[in-house]
Amino acid sequence: MSAETADLTKVDSAVSGLSSSPTEEKKGHRRASSSAAGVYNINDLEKEGKELQIAKETQKLNWKLNTSPATLDDKEALKKFLTTPPVKKIDLHFPLGLEVTARNLKGVTIKDALDAIHKQFKKKADDELELPVLAGFEWDKEESWTRLVVHQKKEGAPSGGGKKKKDKKDTYDE
């Protein structure tokens, strides 16, 4: 019986001239990274001492952390890289200790960063957030080369929307 199975194995592995261990041949065919040219690993930038510049558009967005970035009017700003030179991933650090990571092998865009932040805050109500609006990002190479500090503010600039109506307290005073 063992002779029969041995014959079968030899027949199976000898089909169309394959070697007995096909894994050895495939080692050289590893998929290339899908990152774009000119996109850096943040750790490499730190070793080289290259400084990051943050896109200024982030300060003008007046974006509420618990709303989807898709609701923003400035769609062009979302497509811009968050940093120059572009990086594959960057940590976004909030003053209270929360840290989220924005990733994109083709370079982290402003939208990638906002998506990462939104994922953390989408279930929060407006009144749960002390500082609900993004004020911008800061890169402090003295503190940490690989992360940006997220700045928040109380309110965004007036967007022309109507204010909420006040409670009808005065109507019951008699």
Side-chain angles (χ1 to χ4, degrees), residues 135-154:
F137 299 100
E138 174 194 4
W139 180 61
D140 185 4
K141 66 179 175 184
E142 305 301 321
E143 188 183 322
S144 173
W145 197 286
T146 60
R147 71 183 183 196
L148 301 179
V149 178
V150 180
H151 289 285
Q152 297 160 266
K153 55 188 177 181
K154 268 260 191 272

Side-chain angles (χ1 to χ4, degrees), residues 9-75:
T9 335
K10 287 181 184 173
V11 171
D12 288 347
S13 64
V15 173
S16 69
L18 287 176
S19 68
S20 60
S21 55
T23 52
E24 288 175 26
E25 286 180 31
K26 289 189 177 181
K27 282 187 180 173
H29 296 293
R30 194 157 174 228
R31 183 182 296 184
S33 169
S34 58
S35 64
V39 178
Y40 298 89
N41 183 329
I42 189 113
N43 297 325
D44 296 343
L45 291 176
E46 183 176 14
K47 286 176 196 156
E48 294 170 22
K50 278 195 179 174
E51 304 230 342
L52 289 176
Q53 265 103 32
I54 302 169
K56 290 183 173 53
E57 290 84 0
T58 58
Q59 298 167 12
K60 302 173 195 151
L61 292 174
N62 285 319
W63 172 67
K64 289 177 87 174
L65 305 181
N66 60 354
T67 59
S68 170
T71 60
L72 281 172
D73 297 332
D74 193 358
K75 302 285 186 228

